[in-house]
């Protein structure tokens, strides 16, 4: 499959997986959390509140895709 795939919360996403916004390329790293939304470090993408959106461009969670392993 090519192009963007919507992941949202219904996909199997590893708790440690980094997720990237398909609109602005902002990365959500569970190890860092999200200080803008007061999400503590260690919070997996799948555990984010339903109303959480990209802190940079306000895109919905469904616009995030899992980053590949970079080693």
């Amino acid at each position: 499959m090519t192009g963007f795939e919507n992941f949202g919360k219904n996909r199997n996403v590893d708790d440690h997986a980094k997720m990237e916004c398909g609109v602005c390329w902002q990365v959500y790293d569970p190890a860092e959390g999200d200080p803008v939304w007061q999400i503590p470090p260690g919070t997996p993408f799948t555990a984010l509140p339903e109303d959480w959106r990209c802190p940079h461009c306000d895109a919905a969670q469904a616009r995030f895709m899992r980053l590949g392993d970079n080693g």
Side-chain angles (χ1 to χ4, degrees):
M1 190 177 272
T2 59
F4 295 112
E5 293 181 37
N6 289 335
F7 281 88
K9 290 193 177 184
N10 295 329
R11 303 282 182 140
N12 287 332
V13 176
D14 183 302
D15 283 353
H16 303 289
K18 294 179 183 179
M19 302 292 285
E20 183 175 51
C21 179
V23 176
C24 73
W25 313 115
Q26 172 80 21
V27 174
Y28 177 78
D29 183 348
E32 296 178 8
D34 179 2
V36 174
W37 280 76
Q38 299 179 357
I39 304 297
T43 303
F45 188 82
T46 55
L48 292 172
E50 289 295 321
D51 62 344
W52 183 89
R53 299 176 72 83
C54 178
H56 187 257
C57 74
D58 202 40
Q61 291 179 40
R63 295 304 307 262
F64 279 71
M65 58 198 137
R66 186 167 50 100
L67 282 178
D69 293 331
N70 294 347

